[in-house]
Coordinates of all heavy atoms in Angstrom, one line a residue:
Q1000 N 0.8 -1.2 0.0 CA 0.0 0.0 0.0 C 0.9 1.3 0.0 O 0.6 2.2 -0.7 CB -0.9 0.0 1.2 CG -1.9 1.1 1.2 CD -2.8 1.0 2.5 OE1 -2.6 0.3 3.4 NE2 -3.8 1.9 2.5
F1001 N 1.9 1.2 0.8 CA 2.8 2.4 0.8 C 3.5 2.6 -0.5 O 3.5 3.7 -1.0 CB 3.9 2.2 1.9 CG 3.4 2.3 3.3 CD1 3.3 1.2 4.1 CD2 3.0 3.5 3.8 CE1 2.8 1.3 5.3 CE2 2.6 3.6 5.1 CZ 2.5 2.5 5.9
H1002 N 3.9 1.5 -1.2 CA 4.6 1.6 -2.4 C 3.7 2.0 -3.5 O 4.0 2.8 -4.4 CB 5.3 0.3 -2.8 CG 6.5 0.1 -1.8 ND1 7.7 0.6 -2.0 CD2 6.6 -0.7 -0.7 CE1 8.5 0.2 -1.1 NE2 7.8 -0.6 -0.3
A1003 N 2.5 1.5 -3.5 CA 1.5 1.9 -4.6 C 1.1 3.4 -4.5 O 1.0 4.1 -5.5 CB 0.2 1.0 -4.5
T1004 N 0.9 3.9 -3.3 CA 0.6 5.3 -3.1 C 1.8 6.2 -3.5 O 1.6 7.2 -4.2 CB 0.2 5.5 -1.6 OG1 -0.9 4.7 -1.2 CG2 -0.1 7.0 -1.3
L1005 N 3.0 5.8 -3.0 CA 4.1 6.6 -3.4 C 4.3 6.6 -4.9 O 4.7 7.6 -5.5 CB 5.4 6.0 -2.7 CG 6.7 6.7 -3.0 CD1 6.6 8.0 -2.3 CD2 7.8 5.9 -2.4
H1006 N 4.1 5.5 -5.5 CA 4.3 5.4 -7.0 C 3.3 6.3 -7.7 O 3.6 7.0 -8.6 CB 4.1 4.0 -7.5 CG 4.3 3.9 -9.0 ND1 3.3 4.0 -9.9 CD2 5.4 3.8 -9.8 CE1 3.7 4.0 -11.1 NE2 5.0 3.8 -11.0
S1007 N 2.1 6.4 -7.2 CA 1.1 7.3 -7.8 C 1.5 8.7 -7.7 O 1.2 9.6 -8.5 CB -0.3 7.0 -7.2 OG -0.7 5.8 -7.5
L1008 N 2.2 9.1 -6.6 CA 2.6 10.4 -6.4 C 3.9 10.8 -7.2 O 4.0 11.9 -7.6 CB 2.9 10.7 -4.9 CG 1.7 10.6 -3.9 CD1 2.2 10.7 -2.5 CD2 0.7 11.7 -4.2
L1009 N 4.8 9.8 -7.4 CA 6.0 10.1 -8.1 C 5.8 10.1 -9.6 O 6.5 10.9 -10.3 CB 7.0 9.0 -7.7 CG 7.6 9.1 -6.4 CD1 8.6 7.9 -6.1 CD2 8.4 10.4 -6.1
T1010 N 5.0 9.3 -10.1 CA 4.8 9.2 -11.6 C 3.3 9.3 -11.9 O 2.5 8.7 -11.2 CB 5.4 7.9 -12.2 OG1 4.7 6.8 -11.6 CG2 6.9 7.8 -11.9
N1011 N 3.0 10.0 -12.9 CA 1.6 10.0 -13.3 C 1.4 10.1 -14.8 O 0.3 10.5 -15.3 CB 0.9 11.3 -12.7 CG 1.6 12.6 -13.1 OD1 2.5 12.6 -13.9 ND2 1.1 13.7 -12.5
D1012 N 2.4 9.6 -15.5 CA 2.2 9.7 -17.0 C 1.7 8.4 -17.6 O 1.3 8.4 -18.8 CB 3.6 10.0 -17.6 CG 4.7 9.0 -17.3 OD1 4.5 8.3 -16.3 OD2 5.6 8.9 -18.0
R1013 N 1.5 7.4 -16.8 CA 1.0 6.1 -17.4 C -0.2 5.7 -16.5 O -0.1 5.4 -15.3 CB 2.0 5.0 -17.3 CG 3.1 5.2 -18.4 CD 4.1 4.1 -18.3 NE 3.5 2.8 -18.5 CZ 4.1 1.7 -18.3 NH1 5.3 1.7 -17.8 NH2 3.5 0.5 -18.5
L1014 N -1.4 5.7 -17.2 CA -2.6 5.3 -16.5 C -2.7 3.9 -16.1 O -3.4 3.5 -15.1 CB -3.8 5.7 -17.3 CG -5.2 5.6 -16.7 CD1 -5.3 6.5 -15.5 CD2 -6.3 5.9 -17.7
C1015 N -1.9 3.0 -16.7 CA -2.0 1.6 -16.4 C -1.6 1.3 -15.0 O -2.0 0.3 -14.4 CB -1.1 0.8 -17.4 SG 0.7 1.1 -17.2
V1016 N -0.7 2.1 -14.4 CA -0.3 1.9 -13.0 C -1.4 2.2 -12.0 O -1.7 1.4 -11.1 CB 1.0 2.7 -12.7 CG1 1.4 2.6 -11.2 CG2 2.1 2.3 -13.6
Q1017 N -2.1 3.3 -12.2 CA -3.2 3.6 -11.4 C -4.3 2.5 -11.5 O -5.0 2.1 -10.6 CB -3.8 5.0 -11.7 CG -2.9 6.1 -11.1 CD -1.7 6.3 -11.9 OE1 -1.5 5.9 -13.0 NE2 -0.7 7.1 -11.3
I1018 N -4.6 2.1 -12.8 CA -5.5 1.0 -13.0 C -5.1 -0.3 -12.3 O -6.0 -1.0 -11.8 CB -5.8 0.8 -14.5 CG1 -6.5 2.1 -15.1 CG2 -6.6 -0.4 -14.8 CD1 -6.6 2.1 -16.6
A1019 N -3.8 -0.6 -12.4 CA -3.3 -1.8 -11.7 C -3.6 -1.7 -10.2 O -4.0 -2.7 -9.6 CB -1.9 -2.0 -12.0
A1020 N -3.3 -0.6 -9.6 CA -3.5 -0.4 -8.2 C -4.9 -0.5 -7.8 O -5.3 -1.2 -6.8 CB -2.9 0.9 -7.7
L1021 N -5.8 0.1 -8.6 CA -7.2 0.0 -8.4 C -7.7 -1.5 -8.5 O -8.5 -1.9 -7.8 CB -8.0 0.9 -9.4 CG -9.5 0.9 -9.3 CD1 -9.9 1.4 -7.9 CD2 -10.1 1.7 -10.4
S1022 N -7.2 -2.2 -9.5 CA -7.6 -3.6 -9.8 C -7.2 -4.4 -8.6 O -7.9 -5.3 -8.2 CB -6.9 -4.1 -11.0 OG -7.3 -3.4 -12.1
V1023 N -6.0 -4.2 -8.0 CA -5.6 -5.0 -6.8 C -6.6 -4.8 -5.7 O -7.1 -5.8 -5.1 CB -4.2 -4.5 -6.3 CG1 -3.9 -5.1 -5.0 CG2 -3.1 -5.0 -7.3
V1024 N -7.0 -3.6 -5.4 CA -8.0 -3.3 -4.4 C -9.3 -4.0 -4.7 O -9.9 -4.6 -3.8 CB -8.2 -1.8 -4.1 CG1 -9.3 -1.5 -3.2 CG2 -6.9 -1.2 -3.7
Q1025 N -9.8 -3.8 -5.9 CA -11.1 -4.3 -6.2 C -11.2 -5.8 -6.3 O -12.1 -6.5 -5.8 CB -11.6 -3.7 -7.5 CG -11.9 -2.2 -7.5 CD -13.0 -1.9 -6.5 OE1 -14.0 -2.6 -6.4 NE2 -12.8 -0.8 -5.7
L1026 N -10.2 -6.4 -6.9 CA -10.1 -7.9 -7.0 C -9.9 -8.5 -5.6 O -10.4 -9.6 -5.4 CB -9.1 -8.3 -8.0 CG -9.4 -8.0 -9.5 CD1 -8.2 -8.3 -10.4 CD2 -10.6 -8.8 -9.9
S1027 N -9.2 -7.9 -4.8 CA -9.0 -8.4 -3.4 C -10.3 -8.4 -2.7 O -10.7 -9.4 -2.0 CB -7.9 -7.6 -2.7 OG -6.7 -7.6 -3.3
A1028 N -11.0 -7.3 -2.8 CA -12.3 -7.2 -2.1 C -13.3 -8.3 -2.7 O -14.1 -8.9 -1.9 CB -12.9 -5.8 -2.3
F1029 N -13.3 -8.5 -4.0 CA -14.1 -9.5 -4.6 C -13.8 -10.9 -4.1 O -14.7 -11.7 -3.8 CB -14.0 -9.4 -6.1 CG -14.9 -10.3 -6.9 CD1 -16.3 -10.2 -6.8 CD2 -14.3 -11.3 -7.7 CE1 -17.1 -11.1 -7.5 CE2 -15.1 -12.2 -8.4 CZ -16.5 -12.1 -8.3
G1030 N -12.5 -11.1 -4.1 CA -12.0 -12.5 -3.5 C -12.5 -12.7 -2.1 O -12.9 -13.8 -1.7
M1031 N -12.4 -11.6 -1.3 CA -12.9 -11.8 0.1 C -14.4 -12.0 0.2 O -14.8 -12.8 1.0 CB -12.5 -10.5 0.9 CG -11.0 -10.4 1.2 SD -10.6 -9.0 2.2 CE -9.3 -8.3 1.2
T1032 N -15.1 -11.4 -0.7 CA -16.6 -11.6 -0.8 C -16.8 -13.1 -1.2 O -17.7 -13.7 -0.6 CB -17.2 -10.7 -1.8 OG1 -17.0 -9.3 -1.3 CG2 -18.7 -10.9 -1.9
L1033 N -16.1 -13.6 -2.2 CA -16.3 -15.0 -2.6 C -16.0 -15.9 -1.4 O -16.7 -16.9 -1.2 CB -15.5 -15.3 -3.8 CG -15.8 -14.6 -5.1 CD1 -14.8 -15.0 -6.2 CD2 -17.3 -14.9 -5.5
R1034 N -15.0 -15.6 -0.7 CA -14.6 -16.4 0.4 C -15.6 -16.4 1.5 O -16.0 -17.4 2.1 CB -13.2 -16.0 1.0 CG -12.7 -16.6 2.2 CD -12.5 -18.1 2.0 NE -12.4 -18.7 3.3 CZ -13.2 -19.7 3.8 NH1 -14.2 -20.1 3.1 NH2 -13.0 -20.2 5.0
R1035 N -16.1 -15.2 1.9 CA -17.1 -15.0 2.9 C -18.4 -15.8 2.6 O -19.0 -16.3 3.5 CB -17.4 -13.6 3.2 CG -18.2 -13.3 4.4 CD -18.5 -11.8 4.6 NE -19.3 -11.3 3.6 CZ -19.0 -10.3 2.8 NH1 -17.8 -9.7 2.8 NH2 -19.9 -9.9 1.8
K1036 N -18.8 -15.8 1.3 CA -20.0 -16.5 0.9 C -19.8 -18.0 0.7 O -20.7 -18.7 0.4 CB -20.5 -15.9 -0.4 CG -21.0 -14.5 -0.2 CD -21.7 -13.9 -1.4 CE -22.1 -12.5 -1.1 NZ -23.6 -12.4 -1.0
G1037 N -18.5 -18.5 0.9 CA -18.3 -19.9 0.8 C -18.1 -20.4 -0.6 O -18.2 -21.6 -0.9
I1038 N -18.0 -19.5 -1.6 CA -17.9 -19.9 -3.0 C -16.5 -20.5 -3.3 O -16.4 -21.4 -4.1 CB -18.3 -18.8 -3.9 CG1 -19.7 -18.4 -3.7 CG2 -18.0 -19.1 -5.4 CD1 -20.1 -17.1 -4.4
I1039 N -15.5 -20.0 -2.7 CA -14.1 -20.5 -2.8 C -13.6 -20.8 -1.4 O -14.0 -20.3 -0.4 CB -13.2 -19.5 -3.6 CG1 -13.1 -18.2 -2.8 CG2 -13.7 -19.2 -5.0 CD1 -12.0 -17.2 -3.3
S1040 N -12.6 -21.7 -1.4 CA -11.9 -22.1 -0.2 C -11.0 -21.0 0.3 O -10.6 -20.1 -0.5 CB -11.2 -23.4 -0.3 OG -10.1 -23.2 -1.2
Q1041 N -10.5 -21.1 1.5 CA -9.6 -20.1 2.1 C -8.3 -20.2 1.3 O -7.6 -19.2 1.0 CB -9.4 -20.4 3.6 CG -8.4 -19.4 4.2 CD -8.3 -19.5 5.7 OE1 -8.9 -20.3 6.3 NE2 -7.4 -18.8 6.2
S1042 N -7.8 -21.4 1.1 CA -6.5 -21.6 0.4 C -6.6 -21.0 -1.1 O -5.6 -20.4 -1.5 CB -6.1 -23.0 0.3 OG -7.0 -23.8 -0.3
L1043 N -7.7 -21.2 -1.8 CA -7.8 -20.6 -3.1 C -7.9 -19.1 -3.0 O -7.3 -18.4 -3.8 CB -9.0 -21.2 -3.8 CG -9.3 -20.7 -5.2 CD1 -8.1 -20.9 -6.1 CD2 -10.6 -21.2 -5.8
G1044 N -8.6 -18.6 -2.0 CA -8.6 -17.2 -1.8 C -7.3 -16.6 -1.6 O -6.9 -15.5 -2.1
L1045 N -6.4 -17.3 -0.8 CA -5.1 -16.8 -0.5 C -4.2 -16.8 -1.8 O -3.4 -15.9 -2.0 CB -4.4 -17.6 0.6 CG -4.9 -17.3 2.0 CD1 -4.3 -18.3 3.0 CD2 -4.6 -15.9 2.4
V1046 N -4.4 -17.8 -2.6 CA -3.6 -17.9 -3.8 C -4.0 -16.8 -4.8 O -3.2 -16.1 -5.4 CB -3.8 -19.3 -4.5 CG1 -3.3 -19.3 -5.9 CG2 -3.2 -20.4 -3.7
L1047 N -5.3 -16.6 -4.9 CA -5.8 -15.5 -5.8 C -5.3 -14.2 -5.3 O -4.9 -13.3 -6.1 CB -7.3 -15.6 -5.9 CG -7.9 -16.8 -6.7 CD1 -9.4 -16.7 -6.6 CD2 -7.4 -16.8 -8.1
Y1048 N -5.4 -13.9 -4.0 CA -4.9 -12.7 -3.4 C -3.4 -12.5 -3.7 O -3.0 -11.4 -4.1 CB -5.2 -12.7 -1.9 CG -4.8 -11.4 -1.2 CD1 -5.4 -10.2 -1.5 CD2 -3.8 -11.4 -0.3 CE1 -5.0 -9.0 -0.8 CE2 -3.4 -10.3 0.4 CZ -4.0 -9.1 0.1 OH -3.6 -7.9 0.7
G1049 N -2.6 -13.5 -3.5 CA -1.2 -13.4 -3.8 C -0.9 -13.1 -5.3 O -0.1 -12.3 -5.6
L1050 N -1.7 -13.7 -6.2 CA -1.5 -13.5 -7.6 C -1.8 -12.0 -8.0 O -1.1 -11.4 -8.7 CB -2.3 -14.5 -8.4 CG -1.8 -15.9 -8.4 CD1 -2.8 -16.8 -9.2 CD2 -0.4 -16.0 -9.0
V1051 N -2.9 -11.5 -7.4 CA -3.3 -10.2 -7.7 C -2.2 -9.2 -7.2 O -1.9 -8.2 -7.9 CB -4.7 -9.9 -7.0 CG1 -5.0 -8.4 -7.0 CG2 -5.8 -10.6 -7.7
L1052 N -1.7 -9.4 -6.0 CA -0.6 -8.6 -5.5 C 0.6 -8.6 -6.3 O 1.3 -7.6 -6.6 CB -0.3 -9.0 -4.0 CG -1.3 -8.6 -3.0 CD1 -0.9 -9.1 -1.6 CD2 -1.6 -7.1 -2.9
I1053 N 1.0 -9.8 -6.8 CA 2.2 -10.0 -7.6 C 2.1 -9.3 -8.9 O 3.0 -8.6 -9.4 CB 2.5 -11.5 -7.8 CG1 3.0 -12.1 -6.5 CG2 3.5 -11.7 -8.9 CD1 3.1 -13.6 -6.5
V1054 N 0.9 -9.4 -9.6 CA 0.7 -8.7 -10.8 C 0.8 -7.2 -10.6 O 1.4 -6.5 -11.4 CB -0.6 -9.2 -11.5 CG1 -1.0 -8.3 -12.7 CG2 -0.5 -10.6 -11.9
G1055 N 0.1 -6.7 -9.6 CA 0.2 -5.3 -9.3 C 1.6 -4.8 -9.1 O 2.0 -3.7 -9.6
M1056 N 2.4 -5.5 -8.3 CA 3.7 -5.1 -8.1 C 4.6 -5.2 -9.3 O 5.5 -4.4 -9.5 CB 4.4 -6.0 -7.0 CG 3.9 -5.6 -5.6 SD 4.2 -3.9 -5.1 CE 6.0 -3.8 -5.1
I1057 N 4.3 -6.2 -10.2 CA 5.1 -6.2 -11.5 C 4.9 -5.0 -12.3 O 5.8 -4.4 -12.8 CB 4.7 -7.5 -12.2 CG1 5.3 -8.7 -11.6 CG2 5.2 -7.4 -13.7 CD1 4.8 -10.0 -12.1
V1058 N 3.6 -4.5 -12.4 CA 3.3 -3.3 -13.1 C 4.0 -2.1 -12.5 O 4.6 -1.3 -13.2 CB 1.8 -3.1 -13.2 CG1 1.5 -1.7 -13.8 CG2 1.1 -4.2 -14.0
I1059 N 4.0 -2.0 -11.2 CA 4.6 -0.8 -10.5 C 6.1 -0.9 -10.6 O 6.7 0.2 -11.0 CB 4.1 -0.8 -9.0 CG1 2.7 -0.4 -8.9 CG2 5.0 0.2 -8.2 CD1 2.1 -0.6 -7.5
V1060 N 6.7 -2.0 -10.4 CA 8.2 -2.1 -10.5 C 8.6 -1.8 -11.9 O 9.6 -1.1 -12.1 CB 8.6 -3.5 -10.0 CG1 10.1 -3.8 -10.5 CG2 8.5 -3.6 -8.5
D1061 N 7.9 -2.3 -12.9 CA 8.3 -2.1 -14.3 C 8.2 -0.6 -14.6 O 9.2 0.0 -15.3 CB 7.3 -2.8 -15.3 CG 7.6 -2.5 -16.7 OD1 8.8 -2.8 -17.2 OD2 6.7 -2.0 -17.4
D1062 N 7.2 0.1 -14.2 CA 7.1 1.5 -14.5 C 8.2 2.3 -13.7 O 8.8 3.2 -14.3 CB 5.7 2.0 -14.1 CG 5.5 3.4 -14.6 OD1 5.7 3.7 -15.8 OD2 5.1 4.3 -13.8
L1063 N 8.4 2.0 -12.5 CA 9.4 2.7 -11.7 C 10.8 2.5 -12.3 O 11.6 3.4 -12.4 CB 9.4 2.3 -10.2 CG 8.3 2.9 -9.4 CD1 8.2 2.2 -8.0 CD2 8.4 4.4 -9.3
Y1064 N 11.1 1.3 -12.7 CA 12.3 0.9 -13.4 C 12.5 1.7 -14.7 O 13.6 2.2 -14.9 CB 12.4 -0.6 -13.6 CG 13.8 -1.0 -14.2 CD1 14.9 -1.1 -13.4 CD2 13.9 -1.3 -15.6 CE1 16.1 -1.5 -14.0 CE2 15.1 -1.6 -16.1 CZ 16.2 -1.8 -15.3 OH 17.4 -2.1 -15.8
S1065 N 11.5 1.8 -15.5 CA 11.6 2.6 -16.7 C 11.8 4.1 -16.5 O 12.3 4.8 -17.3 CB 10.3 2.4 -17.6 OG 9.2 3.0 -17.0
H1066 N 11.4 4.6 -15.3 CA 11.6 6.0 -15.0 C 13.0 6.2 -14.2 O 13.3 7.3 -13.9 CB 10.5 6.5 -14.0 CG 9.2 6.9 -14.8 ND1 8.2 6.0 -15.0 CD2 8.8 8.0 -15.3 CE1 7.3 6.5 -15.6 NE2 7.6 7.8 -15.9
G1067 N 13.7 5.1 -13.9 CA 14.9 5.2 -13.2 C 14.8 5.5 -11.8 O 15.7 6.1 -11.2
M1068 N 13.6 5.3 -11.2 CA 13.4 5.6 -9.8 C 13.1 4.4 -8.9 O 12.6 4.6 -7.8 CB 12.1 6.5 -9.7 CG 12.3 7.9 -10.3 SD 11.0 9.0 -9.8 CE 9.7 8.5 -10.9
L1069 N 13.4 3.2 -9.3 CA 13.1 2.0 -8.5 C 13.7 2.0 -7.2 O 13.0 1.9 -6.2 CB 13.4 0.8 -9.3 CG 13.1 -0.5 -8.7 CD1 11.6 -0.6 -8.4 CD2 13.5 -1.7 -9.5
G1070 N 15.0 2.2 -7.1 CA 15.7 2.2 -5.8 C 15.2 3.3 -4.9 O 15.0 3.1 -3.7
F1071 N 15.0 4.5 -5.4 CA 14.5 5.6 -4.6 C 13.1 5.4 -4.1 O 12.8 5.6 -2.9 CB 14.5 6.9 -5.4 CG 13.9 8.1 -4.7 CD1 14.5 8.7 -3.7 CD2 12.7 8.6 -5.2 CE1 13.9 9.8 -3.1 CE2 12.1 9.7 -4.6 CZ 12.7 10.3 -3.5
A1072 N 12.3 4.9 -4.9 CA 10.9 4.6 -4.5 C 10.8 3.5 -3.5 O 10.0 3.6 -2.5 CB 10.0 4.2 -5.7
I1073 N 11.6 2.4 -3.6 CA 11.6 1.4 -2.6 C 12.1 1.9 -1.3 O 11.5 1.6 -0.2 CB 12.5 0.2 -3.1 CG1 11.8 -0.5 -4.3 CG2 12.8 -0.8 -2.0 CD1 12.6 -1.6 -4.9
A1074 N 13.2 2.7 -1.3 CA 13.7 3.2 0.0 C 12.7 4.1 0.6 O 12.5 4.1 1.9 CB 15.0 4.0 -0.3
L1075 N 12.1 5.0 -0.1 CA 11.1 6.0 0.4 C 9.8 5.2 0.9 O 9.3 5.6 2.0 CB 10.7 7.0 -0.6 CG 10.1 8.3 -0.1 CD1 10.9 9.0 1.0 CD2 9.8 9.2 -1.2
G1076 N 9.4 4.2 0.2 CA 8.2 3.5 0.6 C 8.5 2.7 1.9 O 7.6 2.7 2.8
N1077 N 9.7 2.1 2.0 CA 10.0 1.4 3.2 C 10.2 2.3 4.4 O 9.8 2.0 5.5 CB 11.3 0.6 3.0 CG 11.1 -0.6 2.1 OD1 10.0 -1.0 1.9 ND2 12.2 -1.1 1.6
L1078 N 10.8 3.5 4.2 CA 10.9 4.5 5.2 C 9.5 4.9 5.7 O 9.3 5.1 7.0 CB 11.7 5.7 4.7 CG 11.8 6.9 5.7 CD1 12.7 6.4 6.9 CD2 12.5 8.1 5.0
A1079 N 8.6 5.2 4.8 CA 7.2 5.5 5.3 C 6.6 4.4 6.1 O 5.9 4.7 7.1 CB 6.3 5.8 4.0
A1080 N 6.8 3.2 5.7 CA 6.2 2.1 6.5 C 6.9 2.0 7.9 O 6.2 1.8 8.9 CB 6.4 0.8 5.8
I1081 N 8.2 2.2 7.9 CA 8.9 2.1 9.2 C 8.5 3.2 10.1 O 8.2 3.0 11.3 CB 10.4 2.1 9.0 CG1 10.9 0.8 8.4 CG2 11.2 2.4 10.3 CD1 12.3 0.8 7.8
V1082 N 8.4 4.4 9.6 CA 7.9 5.6 10.4 C 6.5 5.3 11.0 O 6.3 5.6 12.2 CB 8.0 6.9 9.6 CG1 7.2 8.0 10.3 CG2 9.4 7.3 9.4
R1083 N 5.6 4.8 10.1 CA 4.3 4.6 10.6 C 4.2 3.5 11.7 O 3.5 3.7 12.7 CB 3.4 4.2 9.4 CG 2.0 3.9 9.9 CD 1.0 3.7 8.8 NE -0.3 3.4 9.4 CZ -0.9 2.2 9.3 NH1 -0.3 1.3 8.7 NH2 -2.0 2.0 9.9
F1084 N 4.9 2.4 11.5 CA 4.9 1.3 12.5 C 5.6 1.7 13.8 O 5.2 1.3 14.8 CB 5.5 0.1 11.8 CG 4.7 -0.4 10.7 CD1 5.3 -1.0 9.6 CD2 3.3 -0.3 10.6 CE1 4.6 -1.5 8.5 CE2 2.6 -0.8 9.5 CZ 3.2 -1.4 8.5
E1085 N 6.8 2.3 13.7 CA 7.5 2.6 14.8 C 6.9 3.7 15.7 O 7.1 3.7 16.9 CB 9.0 3.0 14.5 CG 9.8 1.9 13.9 CD 10.0 0.7 15.0 OE1 10.2 1.0 16.1 OE2 9.9 -0.4 14.6
W1086 N 6.3 4.7 15.1 CA 5.7 5.7 15.8 C 4.2 5.5 16.1 O 3.5 6.4 16.6 CB 5.9 7.1 15.1 CG 7.3 7.5 15.1 CD1 8.3 7.0 15.8 CD2 7.8 8.6 14.3 NE1 9.5 7.7 15.5 CE2 9.2 8.7 14.6 CE3 7.3 9.5 13.5 CZ2 10.0 9.6 14.1 CZ3 8.1 10.5 12.9 CH2 9.5 10.5 13.2
N1087 N 3.7 4.3 15.7 CA 2.3 3.9 16.0 C 1.3 5.0 15.4 O 0.3 5.4 16.1 CB 2.0 3.7 17.5 CG 2.8 2.6 18.0 OD1 3.0 1.6 17.4 ND2 3.3 2.8 19.2
M1088 N 1.5 5.4 14.2 CA 0.7 6.4 13.5 C -0.5 5.7 12.9 O -0.3 4.7 12.2 CB 1.5 7.2 12.5 CG 2.6 8.0 13.1 SD 3.7 8.7 11.8 CE 2.6 10.1 11.4
N1089 N -1.6 6.3 13.0 CA -2.8 5.8 12.3 C -2.8 6.2 10.9 O -2.1 7.2 10.5 CB -4.1 6.3 13.0 CG -4.3 5.6 14.3 OD1 -3.9 4.5 14.5 ND2 -4.9 6.3 15.2
K1090 N -3.7 5.6 10.1 CA -3.7 6.0 8.7 C -4.3 7.4 8.6 O -4.6 8.2 8.1 CB -4.6 5.0 7.9 CG -3.9 3.7 7.7 CD -4.8 2.9 6.8 CE -4.2 1.5 6.6 NZ -5.0 0.6 5.8

């Protein structure tokens, strides 16, 4: 979540990245709904959730790499996560 938000702030010239981030959120929620209704098993839900996250990260990493900002974005995203967790900050 930190990295997807940071990426949206750093680059905005390719709409596919914002669509990928939105797809991760929407497909994850859909998978949780299917799991809650008993349509899919918990293990299948976890596999689908993992695949959605991996595809989203591939799109984000590819775009950041093409902009030459991959290392900077990873460091800044990790720093934001550490600050939030260490200082017990709410969203």
Side-chain angles (χ1 to χ4, degrees):
Q1000 184 179 11
F1001 290 107
H1002 292 279
T1004 301
L1005 181 67
H1006 181 268
S1007 295
L1008 296 173
L1009 288 176
T1010 61
N1011 59 4
D1012 58 338
R1013 288 179 59 194
L1014 188 59
C1015 68
V1016 176
Q1017 283 77 15
I1018 291 173
L1021 179 65
S1022 298
V1023 168
V1024 172
Q1025 293 299 320
L1026 290 172
S1027 298
F1029 181 64
M1031 287 182 229
T1032 299
L1033 293 176
R1034 172 65 193 115
R1035 190 180 68 239
K1036 292 185 180 254
I1038 297 172
I1039 62 174
S1040 67
Q1041 181 177 355
S1042 58
L1043 180 58
L1045 288 173
V1046 168
L1047 292 175
Y1048 180 66
L1050 289 174
V1051 167
L1052 288 178
I1053 289 170
V1054 169
M1056 283 304 294
I1057 288 171
V1058 172
I1059 289 171
V1060 166
D1061 177 59
D1062 190 55
L1063 286 171
Y1064 183 77
S1065 68
H1066 281 89
M1068 291 193 283
L1069 183 60
F1071 173 71
I1073 289 173
L1075 197 56
N1077 289 343
L1078 178 65
I1081 290 169
V1082 166
R1083 177 168 179 251
F1084 297 143
E1085 290 297 319
W1086 290 352
N1087 297 321
M1088 299 173 75
N1089 290 329
K1090 290 183 182 179

